[in-house]
Amino acid sequence: LWTGSKATGQHNGIIPGVSGSFMLDANNNVTGGSFEIEMSTLEDKDLSPEDGKEKLEGHLKSEDFFHVEKHPTAKFEITEVKAVEAEGYNHMISGNLTMKDSTNNISFPAMVNMKDGMITASTPQFTINRTKWGVLYGSGVIGTIKDKLINDEVGIQLNIVAGQN
C-alpha cells in the first residue's frame, strides 16, 4: 500500500505485482529474502475513472516519477532481520531498495509469523523519502511553488503472505 500527499490532499493505492522469496533458517526464522516489484502494476485506489484515476496512474508511471518504461521493476533485498519485542511488531527488517537507478538501505518494523507452512509479514505504515531514488517531480528540493509541492515522504505499508516450499 502507498500514500502520497500534498498540501491540498493525498492519494493512495497498491502495487500488486510483487514476487519473491524469504530465506529461512533451520528453526523457520526469516533470515533474508528478495522481492521484485512490477512498477507497471501501480494502481490508484482513491479515484474513479471519471475523477482522473488513469491520468494519475499514467503520470506516476511517466518520466516525471517512476519512468516505468525505462525502469519496469523495483527490487527489495533483505540485508538484516532482527527479532525484537515491541507492541505491534516482532522484527526489524533492513534491506536495499532499488528504484530507477538508485539503491538505498531502509529499515522498518514488521510483524512476521509462521503458521501451517505460511509466512505472513505486515508492517505499520512507514515512510521513505522519494528524492533519494531520483523521484523529484513537485519536490521542495527543486524549488517547486508551494501550491504545487508534493510531499517528499511517501507512506508505505506492506502485507505479504508466502507459502513454504
Side-chain angles (χ1 to χ4, degrees), residues 55-107:
K55 182 179 178 185
L56 175 62
E57 289 173 353
H59 195 204
L60 291 173
K61 294 174 187 178
S62 78
E63 292 180 39
D64 286 344
F65 286 91
F66 298 107
H67 200 179
V68 171
E69 186 176 315
K70 184 175 179 184
H71 307 282
T73 59
K75 186 173 184 175
F76 180 70
E77 194 162 347
I78 296 172
T79 57
E80 183 177 37
V81 179
K82 282 187 193 176
V84 296
E85 291 185 28
E87 188 172 331
Y89 60 95
N90 58 7
H91 289 81
M92 185 61 82
I93 298 176
S94 297
N96 294 321
L97 176 61
T98 302
M99 286 191 296
K100 298 178 80 173
D101 286 328
S102 299
T103 300
N104 292 284
N105 192 270
I106 62 172
S107 297

Side-chain angles (χ1 to χ4, degrees), residues 136-149:
L136 302 176
Y137 183 86
S139 171
V141 170
I142 58 172
T144 300
I145 301 169
K146 187 176 180 180
D147 65 342
K148 301 287 185 189
L149 187 68

Side-chain angles (χ1 to χ4, degrees), residues 1 7 15 22 27 45 48 52 66 72 81 91 95 112 117 124 131 134 156:
L1 305 168
I15 305 176
F22 287 111
N27 297 318
K45 289 297 194 183
S48 62
F66 298 107
V81 179
H91 289 81
V112 179
T131 64
I156 297 176

Side-chain angles (χ1 to χ4, degrees), residues 9-80:
Q10 70 177 31
H11 293 290
N12 59 72
I14 61 173
I15 305 176
V18 177
S19 61
S21 61
F22 287 111
M23 292 186 302
L24 305 174
D25 65 13
N27 297 318
N28 284 332
N29 296 310
V30 174
T31 59
S34 64
F35 301 89
E36 192 165 278
I37 304 146
E38 296 294 331
M39 297 303 289
S40 64
T41 67
L42 181 146
E43 296 178 37
D44 172 81
K45 289 297 194 183
D46 62 89
L47 293 174
S48 62
E50 55 274 1
D51 291 330
K53 175 182 171 66
E54 289 86 1
K55 182 179 178 185
L56 175 62
E57 289 173 353
H59 195 204
L60 291 173
K61 294 174 187 178
S62 78
E63 292 180 39
D64 286 344
F65 286 91
F66 298 107
H67 200 179
V68 171
E69 186 176 315
K70 184 175 179 184
H71 307 282
T73 59
K75 186 173 184 175
F76 180 70
E77 194 162 347
I78 296 172
T79 57
E80 183 177 37

Side-chain angles (χ1 to χ4, degrees), residues 103-123:
T103 300
N104 292 284
N105 192 270
I106 62 172
S107 297
F108 50 85
M111 178 61 76
V112 179
N113 292 301
M114 170 72 86
K115 184 177 179 183
D116 300 327
M118 299 295 287
I119 300 169
T120 60
S122 61
T123 68

